[in-house]
């Protein structure tokens, strides 16, 4: 066992912290209020190498390990989960999926600009009637010889408008149910793609979320990832890694809220002393600290397993479920510790609380994670 | 043009300062170490000069005097983009000691950057002493620097204004805020490459200690703040005149 | 044996930091039982040199070489080393300002002297020579011991004060024998901030922080500063946002100031900010957050809206000055 980080990992953590605390903080409240996409931050983070962190340098990525990714995601998410979800989707869903399962041509054409962060990717799985239950896909891809004709609607798509490259999970053979599911790379500006309105979300308001409608969209066959019918396995494998990203995001929301609550408790006075000296507050902070530490350890364990090439699907499900649930608890307590100040936007914790809610919902709800965990437990 | 940037390893600027029990030394327990803020700005400017189109800068080297634990700071400088690091393996005893060590390794540089002071002991001395030991021209309070052919154009702060001037190289530029807009955040790729860049460790030369610290104190605690209400603002001004006698 | 005090000039005029260095040097010479000698470099008229007598120094060395106007550290250090040798200086005192800071380390090397920069008072002890200095940017005080025979000190601004003690002055011209090669700097242009009180010299400083909401609200700060004859300053976020110039940023990484009176308006008082202003004699804080750390450092404070308080300050200041 070794709980020490390497010097590089610490430097990456510091770089992410510096960027978040120096740059993201400047306009995070305004972007939250106006639901503005952080174009300039995505560009700057791309230049620093955050958009393709784990992609091999052969494909223009940075070639970092998943542990570094957890550290970076936590730091970005302490300040701005809208930005970190853009980073997470690009890294652990789109880039990872292409690098792991794409062919050489696809990697050269699509992965490289994504890893450089010049383009952004989106992962289109959820549908109006298939969210966390990924088996019941209704978006169809009909074999037309040298291309597929895609029809259907995808929902809740992060980066839908800002992305150039979509990975779309489609049904190519409905009779085969989940064995008839196929993953396709679709360029966003393909004719026949239209976006629904910008979703007016409770939190993560600076990331762009839309539904995406496909109406007779032609997708060349060379854009299929793996064989026909591989799409379900593909999606499940990609989501295993995606859970590490969202778990670390939830961790960052919780640890960011804990940092703010701790600082506030040491400053704010009530009944003649700082409120940190009241046991009711001090014990709250202790409970929050334990939860954050547990979540961090679960995230790092899942990342470590991934880095070791060991199975990590259950570990990442545990990390995601636990981190998301405690993020909700810890951010709520942080608002409580702040009292009235916690309820106004200037103090950030109400935003962290709104954002934490989404981590329990997207990329597999907490309940879906429990299905995964319990199936393993009961098998 | 070869640039050298002197790098100090100092406690993070948010550190709460504590000393050991007999108050003879700084208590470094739990302290996070950073590149001295002015040195970090100097390094950022050095990198800008190197990366500018048509740049004549061949290399940027960083150097410090410190024990092995200061290497993380040097490697951060390498991650930011420096090509090479030099560490003189000794405790930084006083400014003259540090300058004397560096004088040994500072041969062959056209431009040396030093921060105006270190945020720990506020000596404001290493750059000037080193320049004197090297017989090199120095300019202090530098807030802007452009490299030209064979000379540099400098903006420096003077009492009551600023001044642009030119000076021939080799030159020691002792820099302060303004020399670069913001310290650079190292890119991931730079971080991954840092360990493969050369970091040379040298033995110190014998040098006398000219100044030491017998002990340290924390500033005396201030009396409690005297509070006035929003409506009593004028009375506060009166108190400044009648009580504090500063108006 | 003597204490040599370097007094720098701007366009032939001495400033408060220099008079303070002279006052300090005179007291130091008295403590050490030696003679205080002031030294001036550059074109300074006799009338100006005679002013130094007001602060107790009776001997002034003056080199009126105009080339010193370029404020060349190397040349100045050489000239001061020459003067130090001439009077057998045991201690050399400089103000801890831009020029003093630049010259002192070079001079210390020339004189094989130990250097204490940012000294904050007279020596606690002459043997071993021990003097207090600011460390950790005002967050602590170090008792520095100098082990060399000759010592160089730079004096932290406003730490000793200007002490009037009129004596008659004997001016002695000297030539340090510098060649043109000693003056390597070529000044192209000098920009002076005119009509404004210099932050480094200001007895009173009025500073605004993020709580001022925007650059459009600085009118009140400037008005108060003008009435009080104060300098204006700002916190780091304000200069980072570009509301005010970097030259106004006071704090650990900006300017370090020590006025008699410091107004922190809408400044929360992060530890880095306090590091730059903790030498102020009296701090007044106005902030709407009762828990802002600035109130820990402040002597007088108002928890409230700076926009409501500032006009009252201005009115009261006007009445006071009327």
């Amino acid at each position: 066992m070794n709980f020490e980080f390497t010097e590089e990992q610490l430097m990456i953590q510091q770089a992410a912290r510096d960027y978040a605390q120096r740059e993201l903080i400047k306009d995070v409240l305004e972007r939250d209020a106006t639901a503005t996409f952080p174009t300039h931050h995505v560009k700057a983070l791309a230049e620093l190498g955050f958009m393709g962190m784990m992609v091999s340098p052969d494909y223009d990525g940075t070639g970092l390990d998943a542990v570094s990714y957890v550290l970076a995601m936590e730091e970005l998410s302490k300040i701005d989960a809208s930005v970190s979800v853009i980073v997470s989707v690009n890294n652990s869903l789109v880039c990872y999926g292409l690098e792991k399962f794409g062919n050489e041509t696809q990697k050269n054409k699509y992965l490289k600009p994504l890893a450089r962060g010049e383009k952004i990717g989106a992962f289109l799985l959820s549908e109006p009637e298939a969210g966390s239950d990924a088996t019941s896909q209704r978006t169809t891809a009909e074999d037309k010889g040298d291309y597929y004709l895609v029809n259907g609607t995808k929902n809740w798509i992060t980066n839908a408008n800002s992305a150039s490259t979509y990975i779309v999970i489609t049904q190519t053979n409905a009779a085969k149910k989940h064995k008839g599911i196929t993953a396709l790379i679709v360029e966003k500006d393909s004719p026949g793609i239209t976006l629904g309105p910008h979703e007016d979300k409770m939190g993560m308001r600076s990331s762009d979320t839309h539904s995406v409608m496909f109406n007779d969209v032609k997708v060349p066959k060379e854009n299929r990832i793996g064989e026909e019918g591989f799409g379900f396995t593909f999606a499940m494998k990609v989501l295993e890694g995606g859970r590490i990203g969202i778990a670390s995001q939830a961790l960052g929301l919780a640890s960011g809220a804990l940092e703010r609550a701790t600082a506030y408790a040491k400053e704010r006075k009530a009944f003649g002393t700082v409120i940190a000296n009241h046991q009711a507050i001090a014990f709250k902070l202790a409970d929050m600290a334990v939860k954050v530490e547990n979540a961090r350890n679960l995230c790092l364990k899942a990342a470590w397993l991934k880095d070791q090439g060991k199975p990590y699907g259950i570990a990442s499900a545990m990390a995601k479920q636990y981190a998301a649930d405690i993020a909700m608890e810890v951010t709520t307590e942080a608002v409580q510790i702040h009292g009235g100040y916690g309820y106004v936007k200037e103090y950030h914790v109400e935003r962290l609380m709104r954002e934490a809610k989404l981590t329990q919902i997207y990329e597999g709800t907490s309940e879906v994670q429990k299905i995964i965990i319990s199936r393993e437990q009961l098998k | 043009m070869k640039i050298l940037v002197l790098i100090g390893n100092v406690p993070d600027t948010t550190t709460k300062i504590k000393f050991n029990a007999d108050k003879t030394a700084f208590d470094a327990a739990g302290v996070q170490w950073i590149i001295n803020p002015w040195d970090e700005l100097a390094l950022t400017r050095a990198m800008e000069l190197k990366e500018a189109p048509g740049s004549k800068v061949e290399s940027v080297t960083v150097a410090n005097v410190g024990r092995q634990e200061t290497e993380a700071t040097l490697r951060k400088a390498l991650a930011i983009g420096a090509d090479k690091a030099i560490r003189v393996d000794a405790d930084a005893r006083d400014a003259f000691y540090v300058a004397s060590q560096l004088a040994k390794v500072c041969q062959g540089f056209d431009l040396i950057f030093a921060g105006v002071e270190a945020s720990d002991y506020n000596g404001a001395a290493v750059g000037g002493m080193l320049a004197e030991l090297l017989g090199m021209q120095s300019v202090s309070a530098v807030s802007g620097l452009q490299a030209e052919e064979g000379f540099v154009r400098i903006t420096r702060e003077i009492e009551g204004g600023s001044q642009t001037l030119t000076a021939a190289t080799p030159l020691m530029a002792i820099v302060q805020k303004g020399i670069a807009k913001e310290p650079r955040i190292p890119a991931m790729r730079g971080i991954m490459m840092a360990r493969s860049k050369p970091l040379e460790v040298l033995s110190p030369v014998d040098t006398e200690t000219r100044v030491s610290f017998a002990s340290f104190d924390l500033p005396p605690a201030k009396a409690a703040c005297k509070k006035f209400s929003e409506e009593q603002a004028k009375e506060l001004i009166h108190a400044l005149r009648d009580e504090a006698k500063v108006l | 044996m003597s204490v040599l005090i370097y007094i720098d000039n701007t366009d032939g005029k001495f400033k408060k930091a220099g008079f303070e260095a002279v006052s300090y040097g005179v007291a130091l010479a008295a403590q050490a039982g030696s003679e205080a000698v002031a030294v001036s470099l550059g074109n300074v008229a006799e009338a100006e040199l005679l002013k130094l007598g007001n602060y107790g120094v009776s001997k002034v060395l003056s080199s009126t070489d105009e080339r010193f106007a370029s404020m060349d550290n190397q040349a100045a250090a050489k000239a001061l080393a020459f003067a130090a040798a001439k009077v057998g200086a045991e201690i050399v005192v400089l103000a801890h300002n831009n020029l003093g800071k630049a010259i002192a380390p070079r001079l210390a090397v020339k004189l094989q002297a130990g250097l204490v920069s940012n000294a904050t008072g007279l020596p606690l002890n002459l043997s071993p020579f021990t003097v207090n200095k600011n460390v950790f940017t005002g967050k602590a005080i170090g008792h520095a011991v100098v082990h060399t025979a000759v010592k160089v000190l730079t004096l932290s601004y406003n730490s000793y004060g200007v002490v009037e003690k009129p004596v008659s002055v004997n001016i002695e011209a000297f030539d340090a024998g510098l060649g043109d090669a000693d003056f390597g700097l070529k000044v192209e242009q000098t920009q002076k901030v005119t009509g404004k009180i210099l932050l480094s010299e200001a007895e009173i400083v009025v500073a605004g922080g993020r709580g001022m909401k925007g650059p459009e609200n600085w009118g009140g700060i400037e008005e108060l500063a003008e009435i009080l004859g104060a300098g204006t300053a700002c916190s780091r976020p304000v200069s980072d946002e570009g509301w005010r110039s970097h030259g106004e940023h006071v704090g650990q990484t900006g300017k370090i100031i020590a006025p008699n009176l410091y107004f922190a308006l809408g400044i929360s008082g992060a530890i880095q900010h306090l590091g730059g202003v903790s030498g102020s004699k009296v701090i007044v804080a106005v902030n709407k957050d009762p828990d802002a750390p600035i109130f820990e450092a402040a002597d007088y404070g108002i928890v409230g809206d700076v926009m409501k308080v500032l006009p009252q300050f201005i009115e009261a200041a006007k009445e006071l000055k009327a």
Side-chain angles (χ1 to χ4, degrees):
Chain A
M1 284 297 279
N2 181 2
F3 281 98
E4 293 283 328
F5 295 117
T6 66
E7 197 176 290
E8 282 82 2
Q9 287 164 344
L10 290 172
M11 253 196 265
I12 285 157
Q13 180 185 44
Q14 186 65 44
R17 181 179 301 160
D18 284 347
Y19 189 81
Q21 313 226 337
R22 204 188 288 170
E23 303 298 331
L24 295 180
I25 192 76
K26 281 185 188 164
D27 57 353
V28 63
L29 292 177
E30 189 191 330
R31 281 185 287 106
D32 176 59
T34 55
T36 310
F37 187 81
T39 310
H40 57 297
H41 290 307
V42 172
K43 186 166 178 288
L45 287 168
E47 281 165 11
L48 290 172
F50 282 98
M51 296 308 284
M53 284 182 75
M54 290 175 292
V55 176
S56 153
D58 296 346
Y59 300 107
D60 294 352
T62 322
L64 294 174
D65 56 3
V67 167
S68 300
Y69 177 60
V70 169
L71 297 175
M73 278 297 293
E74 180 184 352
E75 291 304 325
L76 297 176
S77 309
K78 280 179 185 176
I79 303 295
D80 192 341
S82 292
V83 167
S84 76
V85 71
I86 298 165
V87 172
S88 176
V89 166
N90 202 65
N91 270 286
S92 45
L93 299 185
V94 183
C95 285
Y96 176 75
L98 284 172
E99 184 171 25
K100 182 93 176 160
F101 301 108
N103 62 36
E104 210 53 31
T105 317
Q106 292 165 347
K107 289 186 204 182
N108 282 318
K109 184 172 178 188
Y110 292 108
L111 176 57
K112 282 183 174 177
L114 290 166
R116 291 195 296 266
E118 291 163 11
K119 290 187 172 169
I120 304 178
F123 193 78
L124 287 73
L125 173 64
S126 291
E127 296 190 356
E129 289 169 59
S132 286
D133 167 20
T135 54
S136 32
Q137 296 291 312
R138 299 261 174 101
T139 298
T140 57
E142 198 183 333
D143 191 338
K144 292 283 184 186
D146 56 351
Y147 65 90
Y148 291 103
L149 200 62
V150 179
N151 280 287
T153 300
K154 292 291 182 180
N155 260 26
W156 319 123
I157 303 307
T158 304
N159 297 348
N161 188 40
S162 48
S164 314
T165 308
Y166 287 171
I167 293 181
V168 187
I169 307 302
T170 64
Q171 184 60 264
T172 41
N173 189 337
K176 287 189 176 171
K177 302 244 169 106
H178 70 277
K179 285 181 180 160
I181 289 173
T182 300
L184 302 175
I185 304 166
V186 182
E187 295 179 19
K188 183 205 166 200
D189 53 10
S190 307
I193 292 181
T194 50
L195 297 191
H198 180 276
E199 301 288 357
D200 192 6
K201 302 192 295 293
M202 172 178 173
M204 313 244 184
R205 293 175 51 76
S206 176
S207 86
D208 66 319
T209 310
H210 298 256
S211 54
V212 181
M213 276 75 79
F214 295 84
N215 185 10
D216 284 345
V217 177
K218 285 184 185 175
V219 179
K221 276 212 169 149
E222 66 254 31
N223 280 15
R224 189 184 66 219
I225 301 174
E227 296 303 311
E228 264 188 29
F230 177 63
F232 185 73
T233 308
F234 170 82
M236 292 305 109
K237 283 286 165 198
V238 167
L239 287 175
E240 281 186 359
R243 293 199 285 266
I244 296 179
I246 301 306
S248 324
Q249 177 182 60
L251 163 65
L253 285 162
S255 61
L258 174 61
E259 281 178 15
R260 288 185 187 279
T262 305
Y264 186 80
K266 283 157 78 174
E267 265 181 22
R268 167 78 185 183
K269 292 199 177 105
F271 306 106
T273 180
V274 293
I275 60 172
N277 289 338
H278 300 304
Q279 204 174 58
I281 301 296
F283 278 17
K284 261 192 213 300
L285 290 167
D287 289 341
M288 291 156 78
V290 173
K291 286 172 182 172
V292 166
E293 187 62 18
N294 277 337
R296 188 177 289 125
N297 287 336
L298 285 171
C299 289
L300 289 169
K301 171 84 179 295
W304 180 83
L305 286 169
K306 182 166 187 273
D307 290 336
Q308 300 300 311
K310 297 181 186 208
Y312 61 94
I314 301 302
S316 69
M318 287 181 175
K320 203 261 176 194
Q321 179 263 314
Y322 183 78
D325 288 352
I326 68 103
M328 200 61 236
E329 294 163 16
V330 169
T331 54
T332 306
E333 286 292 51
V335 170
Q336 188 67 23
I337 289 170
H338 278 74
Y341 291 102
Y343 205 66
V344 296
K345 306 218 170 202
E346 200 185 328
Y347 284 76
H348 293 275
V349 283
E350 66 81 32
R351 178 175 56 82
L352 298 181
M353 181 176 156
R354 283 187 277 121
E355 291 179 336
K357 190 65 220 171
L358 188 51
T359 66
Q360 291 182 302
I361 297 171
Y362 67 4
E363 293 201 26
T365 61
S366 290
E367 291 73 19
V368 163
Q369 305 307 328
K370 286 182 186 174
I371 293 174
I372 296 168
I373 298 162
S374 61
R375 272 187 195 149
E376 174 70 16
Q377 186 64 25
L378 295 169
K379 84 175 178 197
Chain B
M1 173 179 270
K2 288 184 177 157
I3 299 180
L4 175 72
V5 183
L6 308 184
I7 297 291
N9 181 56
V10 299
D12 186 274
T13 51
T14 56
T15 305
K16 200 162 182 204
I17 302 303
K18 295 185 305 263
F19 297 99
N20 63 3
D22 56 359
K23 299 202 280 189
T24 51
F26 174 63
D27 178 0
V31 166
Q32 193 185 351
W33 298 88
I34 59 166
I35 302 179
N36 180 38
W38 296 277
D39 301 347
E40 199 175 17
L41 287 173
L43 176 61
T44 301
R45 184 63 192 144
M47 294 318 303
E48 288 167 0
L49 291 173
K50 188 180 176 203
E51 291 159 12
S55 162
K56 297 276 192 300
V57 178
E58 292 161 55
S59 64
V60 175
T61 304
V62 290
N64 84 334
V65 175
R67 296 296 185 186
Q68 198 184 345
E69 58 268 21
T70 66
E71 280 189 6
T73 299
L74 283 179
R75 260 192 297 273
K76 174 155 186 212
L78 293 172
I80 288 172
D83 302 289
K84 184 190 166 187
I86 301 170
R87 177 172 70 82
V88 179
D89 187 28
D91 292 312
R93 281 190 245 156
D94 67 4
F96 180 72
Y97 183 88
V98 171
S100 300
Q101 303 307 324
L102 291 173
K104 192 177 59 161
V105 301
C106 293
Q107 316 299 331
F109 292 98
D110 306 286
L111 182 59
I112 305 180
F113 281 107
V116 63
E117 64 178 12
S119 60
D120 49 5
Y121 298 101
N122 307 118
V126 171
M129 286 184 174
L130 178 57
E132 183 65 28
L133 289 169
L134 296 172
M136 189 185 265
Q137 178 67 259
S138 60
V139 182
S140 199
V142 173
S143 60
L145 188 145
Q146 300 290 333
E148 310 279 352
E149 197 72 54
F151 69 97
V152 290
R153 178 168 280 108
I154 285 170
T155 307
R156 72 169 168 188
E157 303 287 312
I158 56 170
E159 308 306 320
S162 63
Q163 204 166 51
T164 48
L165 43 90
T166 58
T169 53
L171 181 86
M172 165 76 67
I174 300 167
V175 306
Q176 63 176 45
K177 199 177 183 208
I179 184 70
K181 205 162 168 265
E182 275 189 328
R184 188 173 282 200
I185 296 172
M188 307 270 146
R189 198 157 299 175
I191 292 171
M192 298 314 283
M193 278 162 58
R195 206 175 274 279
S196 61
K197 289 181 177 174
L199 195 164
E200 198 182 335
V201 180
L202 302 174
S203 306
V205 289
D206 257 2
T207 307
E208 58 176 320
T209 303
R210 291 183 170 178
V211 179
S212 58
F213 285 101
S215 59
F216 298 92
D217 274 323
L218 294 174
K222 274 213 156 187
C225 177
K226 196 165 177 178
K227 295 265 176 70
F228 291 75
S229 73
E230 216 173 64
E231 294 73 34
Q232 296 170 312
K234 283 179 136 180
E235 286 160 45
L236 189 154
I237 298 291
H238 295 153
L240 292 175
R241 180 191 59 188
D242 304 329
E243 189 178 278
K245 302 198 191 310
V246 286
L247 279 182
Chain C
M1 287 304 183
S2 65
V3 173
L4 184 71
I5 307 136
Y6 170 60
I7 175 147
D8 63 302
N9 69 82
T10 303
D11 302 326
K13 299 285 174 219
F14 297 140
K15 296 216 163 152
K16 189 189 157 197
F19 296 137
E20 186 184 16
V22 171
S23 305
Y24 174 84
V26 165
L28 184 54
Q31 186 182 353
S34 64
E35 185 193 16
V37 181
V39 55
S40 164
L41 303 175
N43 196 2
V44 180
E46 194 181 315
E48 189 72 9
L49 293 169
L50 288 173
K51 283 186 189 167
L52 298 178
N54 294 339
Y55 309 99
V57 71
S58 51
K59 184 172 173 182
V60 177
L61 298 179
S62 170
S63 174
T64 52
D65 189 333
E66 289 195 5
R67 292 174 300 179
F68 286 118
S70 69
M71 290 182 275
D72 190 307
N73 308 332
Q74 205 169 3
K78 212 166 173 178
L80 291 182
F82 179 89
K86 191 176 158 69
V87 299
E90 216 178 359
I91 304 172
V92 183
V93 176
L94 302 92
H96 192 73
N97 56 15
N98 281 335
L99 198 55
K101 264 192 275 192
I103 299 169
R106 300 199 72 123
L107 179 62
V109 170
K110 282 188 193 293
L111 301 177
Q112 301 185 342
L115 166 66
V116 178
S117 54
N118 239 325
T120 54
L122 290 169
L124 307 167
N125 208 338
L126 288 172
S127 182
F129 189 91
T130 311
V131 64
N132 280 351
K133 87 178 280 298
N134 279 325
V135 291
F136 297 100
T137 320
K139 286 186 271 187
I141 299 150
H143 308 297
V145 181
V146 186
H147 305 284
T148 50
V150 181
K151 291 99 183 160
V152 176
L153 307 177
T154 66
L155 179 65
S156 184
Y157 181 70
N158 215 9
S159 65
Y160 185 75
V162 174
V163 180
E164 298 211 13
K165 190 183 169 194
V167 292
S168 65
V169 177
N170 182 12
I171 298 167
E172 188 182 315
F174 82 106
D175 179 2
L178 302 183
D180 278 342
D182 290 312
F183 293 88
L185 303 183
K186 302 280 168 271
V187 175
E188 293 189 329
Q189 208 185 351
T190 302
Q191 299 90 23
K192 285 279 164 68
V193 183
T194 49
K196 274 193 124 180
I197 306 286
L198 303 180
L199 259 184
S200 55
E201 293 260 313
E203 309 264 351
I204 303 174
V205 172
V206 184
R210 218 201 270 278
M212 293 298 297
K213 300 286 185 210
E216 66 278 7
N217 296 324
W218 243 260
I221 287 190
E222 292 191 327
E223 191 179 353
L224 180 62
E226 197 181 321
I227 299 164
L228 297 175
T232 55
C234 69
S235 65
R236 175 168 178 165
V238 167
S239 69
D240 282 355
E241 293 281 346
W243 295 356
R244 302 293 287 182
S245 82
H246 282 295
E248 282 203 1
H249 163 203
V250 293
Q252 190 156 347
T253 55
K255 285 200 168 62
I256 313 285
I257 57 169
N260 289 333
L261 175 57
Y262 179 71
F263 285 90
L265 306 177
I267 293 176
S268 64
I271 189 163
Q272 295 98 325
H273 183 78
L274 296 179
V277 301
S278 60
S280 308
K281 300 271 187 286
V282 173
I283 295 179
V284 175
V286 180
N287 204 294
K288 69 170 197 280
D289 177 3
D291 302 313
I294 190 73
F295 289 116
E296 301 290 324
D299 301 277
Y300 296 93
I302 293 178
V303 177
D305 183 353
V306 66
M307 298 304 165
K308 288 191 191 139
V309 171
L310 190 50
Q312 298 182 63
F313 277 180
I314 291 169
E315 209 180 310
K318 272 184 187 158
E319 290 165 13
L320 220 68
K321 295 285 168 186

